[in-house]
Amino acid sequence: MKNKKLSGEEALLEAQKIAFAPVIFQTARLLRDFGIFKMLYDNKKTGCTIEEIAKEKKLSNYAVEVLCESGLSMNALELKDDKFFLTDIGYFLLFDEMTNVNMNFNHDVNYIGLFDLDKALLESKPSGLHKAFNSSWETIYPHLSELPEKAKKSWFEFDHFYSDACFKTLVKIMAERAPKKLMDIGGNTGKWAIALTQASPETNVTIVDHPKQIDVALKNAENAGVADRVDGIAMDILDHSQPFKKGYDAIWMSQFLDCFGPEDIIEILKRVNKAIDEDAKVYIIEPFWDRQSHNIGSFCLINTSPYFTALANGKSKMYRSTQMKNYAESAGLKVVEQIDNLGFGHTLMVCEKG
């Protein structure tokens, strides 16, 4: 990422934005959720007074003042002749899908848990997970289906937004390569297995994941009419004593390895290496922050890492492509192909036996 050179006053203002970031975040969210952004968008030519907004949204003048003045400070709103207007920043906070997915994920999943980020970093445990969901869970992954409905919705919308951006392209690429038997490690809800089997009639997919995720995935495959070509293996993937089943010509891991720390990534890839033969390919799909075409992508990815620290497992993060290449090589694999800029900055890294 490239940082713009700032004057001393500009740098001090940016520092204050960081210091007040939790406040700005919550007021921006409420300006959206209370419908104030939308009201100002609908009245973009005339603007609205505090009194008009309060009456329309059934809020006190005080509440509207607090929110709108904060909106003014973050440049989401503009004030002219005692009337508030929506700016371009406010427009994106209201309508931009990426911005809203990120905001919902950070509020519904991360916000409370990040209070214990310091503990998580010091202990290498997702210390915020217990506070956020009043649980004794060791990691978030086996319990995704147990999250409160709002948190679960925001988690999956966040996950699917970033994966869906390159989904159709990846389906096309893999349908053209038409593997006979593909193992989808970390297959989640079965979305990839269903899409690939629908696009590639000769492909059979085995999903490897936690038991509850397998149940969901197989039910989805049945509903999609591809249950005869999608099966599942329930496994604790972090139990490195368990080998992966052999006989597959493709191993698929999409936005999966970033869920683990370096030691576990290498151990998983070693088990993958033992499971494949010389002709098989290993497909790793990740949004590496050093392979982004713009700072927006790098910013979003880098700042997703604290979620992994405080709530997911305390050890993982969003990686650089050079790191993942080193992990693959440490596991005895070699990178033979790399395709960048798929969807929202994803990379397809293809490996085979070294």
Side-chain angles (χ1 to χ4, degrees):
M1 290 184 66
K2 294 182 180 180
N3 292 319
K4 179 184 176 183
K5 182 68 175 177
L6 301 175
S7 69
E9 183 178 348
E10 289 172 331
L12 182 58
L13 177 57
E14 291 303 313
Q16 304 321 302
K17 290 180 182 179
I18 295 170
F20 280 93
V23 177
I24 296 298
F25 174 84
Q26 291 295 358
T27 53
R29 182 181 66 84
L30 293 178
L31 282 163
R32 181 198 66 175
D33 290 355
F34 285 174
I36 295 174
F37 279 155
K38 182 61 165 62
M39 182 178 177
L40 294 176
Y41 173 77
D42 291 339
N43 294 275
K44 51 181 171 287
K45 291 185 178 180
T46 61
C48 298
T49 65
I50 292 290
E51 293 75 18
E52 288 169 340
I53 298 170
K55 182 178 180 181
E56 174 71 21
K57 297 304 172 185
K58 295 181 173 56
L59 296 168
S60 68
N61 288 357
Y62 166 78
V64 176
E65 282 183 2
V66 167
L67 293 175
C68 286
E69 288 171 2
S70 182
L72 181 66
S73 76
M74 71 180 79
N75 294 321
L77 301 181
E78 191 174 16
L79 181 62
K80 298 177 184 177
D81 299 325
D82 289 330
K83 290 188 175 184
F84 284 94
F85 295 80
L86 194 69
T87 67
D88 288 344
I89 292 175
Y91 177 89
F92 284 122
L93 286 166
L94 175 61
F95 289 115
D96 180 62
E97 183 181 3
M98 177 179 67
T99 303
N100 281 277
V101 163
N102 289 339
M103 183 172 282
N104 293 339
F105 178 69
N106 280 317
H107 179 67
D108 298 330
V109 179
N110 294 339
Y111 203 84
I112 295 174
L114 284 172
F115 187 85
D116 284 338
L117 179 60
D118 52 349
K119 293 181 183 178
L121 289 166
L122 293 170
E123 299 172 358
S124 297
K125 295 179 180 179
S127 305
L129 182 59
H130 308 147
K131 178 177 289 187
F133 300 112
N134 191 28
S135 72
S136 58
W137 301 338
E138 292 185 9
T139 69
I140 200 171
Y141 302 116
H143 305 285
L144 291 174
S145 61
E146 302 171 47
L147 290 174
E149 282 305 313
K150 196 173 181 182
K152 180 164 63 175
K153 181 175 183 290
S154 293
W155 192 98
F156 280 106
E157 285 181 351
F158 179 84
D159 180 71
H160 288 163
F161 173 80
Y162 287 99
S163 59
D164 286 358
C166 62
F167 201 81
K168 290 182 180 179
T169 302
L170 287 171
V171 169
K172 184 174 184 295
I173 290 172
M174 292 306 294
E176 290 173 352
R177 301 188 183 197
K180 301 295 183 186
K181 293 183 66 179
L182 180 142
M183 179 186 291
D184 181 4
I185 302 177
N188 212 329
T189 60
K191 190 171 184 178
W192 169 255
I194 293 167
L196 181 59
T197 49
Q198 288 176 333
S200 178
E202 297 181 0
T203 299
N204 292 271
V205 177
T206 297
I207 299 170
V208 179
D209 213 318
H210 297 288
K212 291 180 181 178
Q213 295 301 104
I214 292 293
D215 291 342
V216 173
L218 295 185
K219 183 177 180 180
N220 289 340
E222 183 178 359
N223 292 337
V226 292
D228 59 325
R229 289 188 292 123
V230 176
D231 62 1
I233 298 175
M235 176 188 291
D236 178 359
I237 298 172
L238 287 181
D239 181 354
H240 299 307
S241 68
Q242 294 190 56
F244 291 122
K245 190 176 178 181
K246 297 183 177 182
Y248 294 87
D249 52 329
I251 307 291
W252 183 264
M253 290 174 284
S254 178
Q255 287 188 205
F256 169 72
L257 291 177
D258 59 33
C259 297
F260 307 102
E263 298 83 1
D264 285 321
I265 291 174
I266 293 170
E267 289 302 316
I268 289 169
L269 292 177
K270 283 180 178 178
R271 288 154 62 199
V272 167
N273 193 10
K274 289 180 180 179
I276 61 174
D277 59 29
E278 297 294 334
D279 297 325
K281 294 288 189 291
V282 178
Y283 297 92
I284 299 170
I285 299 87
E286 291 290 345
F288 299 118
W289 69 257
D290 63 328
R291 304 300 294 181
Q292 300 302 301
S293 60
H294 47 70
N295 278 350
I296 297 171
S298 297
F299 180 89
C300 292
L301 292 170
I302 287 171
N303 288 295
T304 300
S305 289
Y307 147 75
F308 289 106
T309 308
L311 288 116
N313 60 17
K315 300 177 182 179
S316 59
K317 63 188 289 289
M318 303 307 295
Y319 293 98
R320 288 177 283 123
S321 62
T322 51
Q323 290 176 296
M324 194 61 68
K325 182 175 183 289
N326 289 337
Y327 301 153
E329 290 174 350
S330 296
L333 298 168
K334 63 180 178 182
V335 178
V336 296
E337 184 181 5
Q338 187 165 301
I339 305 174
D340 293 323
N341 299 316
L342 299 172
F344 191 82
H346 282 69
T347 293
L348 173 61
M349 184 178 283
V350 186
C351 305
E352 59 186 31
K353 277 186 174 293

